[in-house]
Amino acid sequence: QVPLKPGRSLMDWIRLTKSGKDLTGLKGRLIEVTEDELSKHNKKEDCWICIRGFVYNVTPYMEYHPGGEDELMKAAGADGTDLFDQVHRWVNYESMLKECLVGRMAVKPVAALKGLFTCSHKILGLVNNWNEVYFLKCSPNFVSFLPCVSGIFWHVTESYDWFQTDSLITVVIYTKQKDMNADLVIVDCQDKQLRGEIIMDDHSYLVNIDLDHAVSEDVAVNIAEKVGKVEIILNKKDNVHWKMLGQPCEGHNTFIKRTDRGLFYRKCKLVSKTEVTHDTKLFCLMLPKGTHLRVPTGQHVYLKHIIAGTEVVKPYTPVLPFLPLDFQEPPCHDGVHIYLMIKIYSHGLFTQALDHLQIGDYISVSNPEGSFKKSQVQTSEDLLLLAGGTGFTPMVKLLNFALTEVSCLRTVKLIFFNKTENDILWRNQLEQLALKDERFEVQFILSQPSKDWVGKQGKISSSLLSEFVKRSRRDSKVLICICGPVPFTEQGVQYLKDLGYSQEEIHAFTA
Ligand code: FAD
Ligand code: NAP
């Protein structure tokens, strides 16, 4: 992220797009753009970019781009789809850049082949890119999905099947993955639409069907972890015999990279909003009845909301409703609620809109994302957490997981950087937790303390880190997690490396 000039905020951009100004220079005409034509528009003052076959004139957007002009210029006059997917897959560019749309790329004869083509009535071929060719073999009740890399070798990955009783429909997905668990299965069933996504490392398998008959909102998910079998159990609304499961919808029965799959959102109801500090609130959202979704430790979701007619998307990291103070109780994953601890910025576009939501209002919540893996903690003996402001949010589930489920951990230390005492999130709970669990220690460091503050003060620095970040034994296995404002995180990682910690020992939470 780069600092934007005054008058160049997202809200200013939305205003400009609504002003009726001709942002493409084409007076509302849409054209077919050849590669030659696209490549000519490669300067800051005349910049076109192609994203997923659509060409945008991003010249007027340059100064509004949060990532800076140089970042946008990397795709000037070219196809920016990959660049865009790497950095801002979650940004709804269709909505954000709709007034900048120049037209579609002209289809070359060879490119036409990149779509879906039918080989016979039983075998469909789908060319995703030139290195990976997928074939779908279909029979009435059984569909298997066979990736064929460069046409040379084949191996079966996932498949699904379904069966019925008088009252139930069971969809069975055979993932053939041993460590399958509830965090990896996301199911949404609403209005005859069934969407089941199974996460397998950086790929996902999707079942997406317009069901033949209505089902009730109750959905159950059973997982046979050892064999990797996932059952999605639906309740028929009427006790009729189904002749077929339904019609396939977009992406049905595909196994593709997660980054190639669009983010799926469902509407969640705001059920409570409670104060955490003077500017931070705990929002509790309720998932729809037909949704099975758990946000894994260390991952975030995207919230989507329409602000002044434009879809705006921002990431947030779910927390727990409170810290694990009572270890007799199981970790609170009720599977129905998502808790978000959100700082409301007085000039913040999205957080102001969130703050104005009323109890009972709805907001769209995406599937989880993030690169953190629980296994990173499972083998650690010392866990060190460096948090700046709301960078504390990923640490909440991490603390819970570490203290309740990781037996080899000897020490867990949170070093929490804030401006003032009033900004410290869940201070009371953290202090109680430190009293209760002798493995846990918390250190508050303030950058703008009042004169009464007797604790540590300062900003993240090499000397502060060398004072607080230590292994409990000379050879202990350590994991250091860091999250906060981008420069805080970047500087912190550098200081840690300078102190001799390896890349594998550091996890930085970023978008
Ligand atoms: P904007 O309209 O973008 O900014 C308006 C003004 O607010 C800015 O000029 C600046 O003064 C201030 N401001 C905005 N964003 C920031 C910022 N990031 N840091 C410092 N000042 C800022 N936030 C949470 O509160 N809770 C979370 O759990 C959380 N999780 C996140 C997870 C990820 C992976 C990432 C990348 C960010 C997360 N954030 C979280 C930040 C969140 O996504 C938004 O950036 C934030 O809510 C501000 O949005 P806004 O539209 O209100 O502010
Ligand atoms: P804040 O209150 O502004 O800052 C928290 C502490 O960090 C303060 O002590 C502050 O000191 C210090 N700090 C701020 N900028 C710094 C910098 N450039 N260098 C060194 N120290 C710095 O923080 P916030 O408003 O809560 O923002 C939290 C940030 O965390 C947001 O940017 C949010 O996007 C990010 N976040 C990321 C994730 C994720 O998973 N990636 C999750 C949650 C939050 P001074 O300001 O006094 O210098």
Side-chain angles (χ1 to χ4, degrees):
Q1 293 230 334
V2 296
L4 298 174
K5 287 187 200 154
R8 294 292 180 270
S9 72
L10 179 53
M11 194 63 222
D12 295 314
W13 172 249
I14 292 174
R15 274 195 209 107
L16 177 64
T17 62
K18 306 270 173 252
S19 66
K21 204 169 162 195
D22 175 16
L23 298 182
T24 59
L26 294 169
K27 302 195 175 74
R29 249 182 334 122
L30 290 178
I31 59 171
E32 280 220 334
V33 184
T34 60
E35 268 181 29
D36 253 13
E37 182 63 30
L38 177 65
S39 66
K40 287 180 196 155
H41 302 269
N42 62 352
K43 294 168 238 17
K44 265 190 191 165
E45 56 285 1
D46 175 19
C47 179
W48 291 11
I49 289 177
C50 170
I51 307 171
R52 269 184 257 287
F54 289 92
V55 179
Y56 298 90
N57 181 348
V58 296
T59 323
Y61 183 62
M62 282 283 166
E63 293 192 336
Y64 297 81
H65 182 50
E69 298 184 5
D70 294 345
E71 191 61 32
L72 215 50
M73 283 305 293
K74 284 186 189 161
D79 191 325
T81 310
D82 286 348
L83 186 80
F84 199 86
D85 281 348
Q86 276 163 25
V87 189
H88 5 242
R89 191 168 85 80
W90 47 278
V91 173
N92 189 342
Y93 64 89
E94 287 109 324
S95 179
M96 205 80 87
L97 297 178
K98 58 181 179 254
E99 298 304 326
C100 298
L101 184 64
V102 168
R104 285 185 92 118
M105 283 302 287
V107 183
K108 287 197 296 187
V110 65
L113 274 174
K114 287 195 179 186
L116 183 75
F117 61 92
T118 310
C119 301
S120 80
H121 71 287
K122 285 228 167 137
I123 301 176
L124 298 172
L126 184 72
V127 183
N128 256 17
N129 61 49
W130 290 119
N131 298 323
E132 275 179 308
V133 183
Y134 294 101
F135 284 96
L136 305 170
K137 229 170 76 185
C138 313
S139 70
N141 262 4
F142 183 84
V143 182
S144 68
F145 182 64
L146 312 168
C148 157
V149 180
S150 308
I152 299 166
F153 57 87
W154 294 66
H155 62 100
V156 178
T157 51
E158 300 67 42
S159 59
Y160 82 92
D161 204 349
W162 69 282
F163 59 86
Q164 60 185 312
T165 63
D166 282 350
S167 58
L168 301 175
I169 293 287
T170 302
V171 178
V172 191
I173 300 164
Y174 308 95
T175 70
K176 300 188 177 73
Q177 185 161 305
K178 270 191 189 152
D179 50 359
M180 191 40 56
N181 66 65
D183 285 2
L184 304 174
V185 180
I186 306 164
V187 177
D188 288 273
C189 187
Q190 261 115 35
D191 307 327
K192 284 181 73 190
Q193 194 72 35
L194 172 68
R195 188 186 188 281
E197 187 172 347
I198 317 281
I199 310 298
M200 277 170 275
D201 291 325
D202 57 350
H203 279 64
S204 93
Y205 175 70
L206 184 74
V207 167
N208 194 12
I209 297 172
D210 185 10
L211 297 169
D212 212 30
H213 297 270
V215 291
S216 74
E217 282 183 323
D218 309 287
V219 175
V221 174
N222 279 344
I223 298 162
E225 300 198 359
K226 292 216 173 84
V227 290
K229 186 173 85 171
V230 177
E231 285 181 343
I232 305 171
I233 303 157
L234 313 171
N235 286 283
K236 290 180 180 175
K237 261 202 177 145
D238 307 304
N239 285 357
V240 290
H241 184 82
W242 292 25
K243 290 209 176 73
M244 60 191 297
L245 186 56
Q247 296 296 331
C249 298
E250 193 191 340
H252 173 61
N253 203 30
T254 54
F255 177 74
I256 59 174
K257 277 203 171 144
R258 286 176 75 182
T259 47
D260 290 340
R261 215 181 272 299
L263 270 181
F264 183 78
Y265 290 85
R266 75 280 300 147
K267 287 216 159 103
C268 296
K269 193 190 209 169
L270 176 65
V271 291
S272 71
K273 197 165 46 163
T274 43
E275 261 184 28
V276 177
T277 64
H278 63 105
D279 60 3
T280 302
K281 292 182 181 168
L282 188 67
F283 290 76
C284 176
L285 304 175
M286 190 165 74
L287 291 164
K289 238 181 155 191
T291 295
H292 172 279
L293 165 77
R294 288 189 184 180
V295 183
T297 300
Q299 296 201 12
H300 52 269
V301 293
Y302 296 95
L303 297 189
K304 183 168 79 176
H305 195 56
I306 295 179
I307 301 175
T310 297
E311 273 186 3
V312 182
V313 176
K314 294 267 162 131
Y316 294 95
T317 313
V319 296
L320 300 170
F322 43 79
L323 284 174
L325 290 173
D326 183 355
F327 300 114
Q328 306 312 311
E329 281 197 4
C332 25
H333 292 303
D334 65 4
V336 178
H337 296 106
I338 291 185
Y339 294 89
L340 298 166
M341 194 187 271
I342 298 181
K343 180 184 269 198
I344 312 296
Y345 295 93
S346 53
H347 300 291
L349 178 68
F350 201 77
T351 51
Q352 281 299 321
L354 278 180
D355 200 29
H356 283 92
L357 287 182
Q358 303 294 314
I359 304 300
D361 284 351
Y362 285 83
I363 183 143
S364 298
V365 178
S366 79
N367 284 1
E369 292 225 318
S371 59
F372 185 80
K373 295 207 164 58
K374 274 182 177 174
S375 56
Q376 293 174 258
V377 194
Q378 265 154 340
T379 52
S380 301
E381 291 159 304
D382 298 328
L383 176 65
L384 293 146
L385 310 173
L386 308 179
T390 57
F392 171 59
T393 52
M395 310 307 179
V396 172
K397 283 195 182 184
L398 201 46
L399 267 175
N400 180 63
F401 174 67
L403 294 174
T404 57
E405 288 181 55
V406 184
S407 52
C408 56
L409 265 176
R410 272 197 302 269
T411 64
V412 181
K413 192 187 238 177
L414 170 70
I415 301 150
F416 197 178
F417 295 80
N418 284 283
K419 288 190 164 92
T420 71
E421 257 181 294
N422 292 339
D423 297 318
I424 303 176
L425 304 164
W426 281 356
R427 177 178 182 177
N428 203 3
Q429 287 195 53
L430 285 166
E431 286 173 339
Q432 277 189 48
L433 185 61
L435 285 176
K436 211 154 190 163
D437 192 319
E438 60 184 20
R439 293 168 301 169
F440 178 63
E441 191 188 317
V442 59
Q443 178 73 50
F444 300 114
I445 302 180
L446 301 183
S447 53
Q448 300 170 29
S450 70
K451 56 181 179 347
D452 305 326
W453 176 249
V454 291
K456 205 76 198 163
Q457 74 177 70
K459 281 186 178 226
I460 195 161
S461 67
S462 196
S463 62
L464 268 180
L465 292 188
S466 62
E467 188 181 341
F468 293 110
V469 179
K470 288 194 180 108
R471 294 176 203 267
S472 60
R473 290 182 197 162
R474 219 161 53 87
D475 58 350
S476 29
K477 277 203 75 184
V478 64
L479 177 68
I480 310 173
C481 296
I482 180 162
C483 187
V486 174
F488 167 96
T489 306
E490 284 174 357
Q491 287 165 29
V493 169
Q494 193 51 54
Y495 295 140
L496 291 169
K497 284 187 181 162
D498 294 346
L499 288 170
Y501 293 97
S502 68
Q503 185 76 53
E504 292 68 45
E505 291 174 319
I506 306 170
H507 181 86
F509 288 95
T510 49

